[in-house]
Amino acid sequence: MTTSSPWRATVLTLFPEMFPGPLGVSLAGRALASGVWELEARDIRASATDRHRSVDDTPAGGGPGMVLRADVLAAAIDAAEIGQDSSKERPRLLMSPRGRPLTQARVVELTQGPGPLIVCGRFEGIDQRVIDGRGLEEVSIGDYVLSGGEIAALALIDACVRLLPGVMGKEASGTEESFSDGLLEYPQYTRPQLFEGVPIPEILTSGDHAKVAAWRRAESEALTAARRPDLSAQIPVKAPNRAGRQKTPKNKTDG
Ligand code: SAM
């Protein structure tokens, strides 16, 4: 009988000591310790060949900063793939502010394979020839610039790991969250029933599951329309909630 290998993230970085970092605690940390997933942080500098172990050089054509060398990074990627099962092709990602923005849909896809190889850039970025030659998919975690790809890689891995079977206490909690159906999540409440004079919306304590579901859907739609019209435009209209919803959820006390 063959057992399948756990989902695995291989990270290429100049700072392997940044891993597992926050992924070593809580849900992800427990799952890592129990073998639900694996993490391999590889030092790009180990593939440097000159006596100074240099990994970067000045940009061709001039300009500020330094660029990660193609020969060093390509050798690091090739070394990371030695001994990998070639029948299970892994996505090769490059964390990059120029990349396609990471979405929950892409995160779900990434959990369905063997797990990605992730390159963390530094300096001004990496030589384009290694992006093209090694088929790296550029992935951004938002329209801002970090000093390196490591924090972006940690965010991407965290988003994947929490969806792996057995990581979240209740598997269903991954299916009702923001973005899972193209909407932002509805507001959540818990005890105490009355907080600073504000009660939990009555409908949530009514015990009527159909009404609760309809209320949550309407709240999700209103919140998405108010905050993320870009997402809202992509949601298929579902009668009657979308048409019937008039208010934005400013007043959390409404029922
Ligand atoms: N010169 C690059 C540019 O303008 O696009 C920015 C380089 S940034 C200082 C260094 C590295 O941080 C990048 O190569 C990338 O790996 C990572 N990085 C920065 N911002 C990111 C973002 N929003 N998403 C993903 N990775 C990011």
Side-chain angles (χ1 to χ4, degrees):
M1 200 177 86
T2 55
T3 51
S4 61
S5 334
W7 190 88
R8 180 186 186 86
T10 298
V11 182
L12 301 188
T13 168
L14 288 170
F15 300 99
E17 64 276 20
M18 287 177 76
F19 296 85
L23 297 175
V25 300
S26 190
L27 284 182
R30 281 197 295 277
L32 184 59
S34 63
V36 173
W37 68 289
E38 292 177 351
L39 175 66
E40 181 189 20
R42 298 176 67 100
D43 191 351
I44 295 171
R45 198 174 294 278
S47 296
T49 51
D50 67 7
R51 67 192 174 91
H52 301 294
R53 302 200 83 60
S54 33
V55 294
D56 58 337
D57 213 325
T58 53
M66 302 295 273
V67 176
L68 240 160
R69 289 172 58 131
D71 54 347
V72 176
L73 185 54
I77 293 171
D78 296 346
E81 295 201 330
I82 290 172
Q84 299 288 329
D85 181 350
S86 56
S87 66
K88 292 184 188 159
E89 206 167 288
R90 314 175 70 187
R92 292 176 181 170
L93 312 179
L94 167 64
M95 304 319 298
S96 162
R98 314 191 305 193
R100 285 224 171 84
L102 184 63
T103 62
Q104 189 67 10
R106 185 68 183 120
V107 167
V108 170
E109 278 172 15
L110 289 171
T111 62
Q112 284 159 0
L117 179 136
I118 306 172
V119 176
C120 300
R122 279 272 157 182
F123 321 119
E124 287 307 315
I126 76 173
D127 189 303
Q128 184 64 39
R129 293 169 294 178
V130 79
I131 301 179
D132 299 335
R134 294 297 181 275
L136 302 182
E137 171 191 338
E138 294 184 65
V139 179
S140 166
I141 64 157
D143 290 346
Y144 43 82
V145 179
L146 303 165
S147 30
E150 290 76 12
I151 290 173
L154 289 165
L156 180 144
I157 297 169
D158 180 76
C160 290
V161 165
R162 62 195 294 283
L163 297 183
L164 296 175
V167 174
M168 277 195 275
K170 217 172 143 204
E171 306 267 335
S173 50
T175 61
E176 267 204 30
E177 290 180 316
S178 293
F179 313 113
S180 54
D181 59 358
L183 293 167
L184 301 181
E185 196 184 58
Y186 45 80
Q188 299 275 15
Y189 298 86
T190 186
R191 280 190 282 268
Q193 212 287 328
L194 195 65
F195 171 68
E196 296 183 346
V198 184
I200 293 174
E202 222 176 285
I203 204 159
L204 296 180
T205 50
S206 67
D208 185 331
H209 298 303
K211 279 191 178 156
V212 168
W215 181 89
R216 285 178 165 168
R217 174 83 194 183
E219 291 290 325
S220 277
E221 288 182 359
L223 201 63
T224 309
R227 292 188 185 168
R228 294 290 304 273
D230 57 318
L231 291 178
S232 222
Q234 297 163 24
I235 301 162
V237 177
K238 260 200 191 174
N241 295 335
R242 192 177 176 83
R245 181 70 192 170
Q246 301 295 329
K247 293 196 299 183
T248 52
K250 276 186 204 126
N251 179 2
K252 299 283 194 298
T253 62
D254 62 356

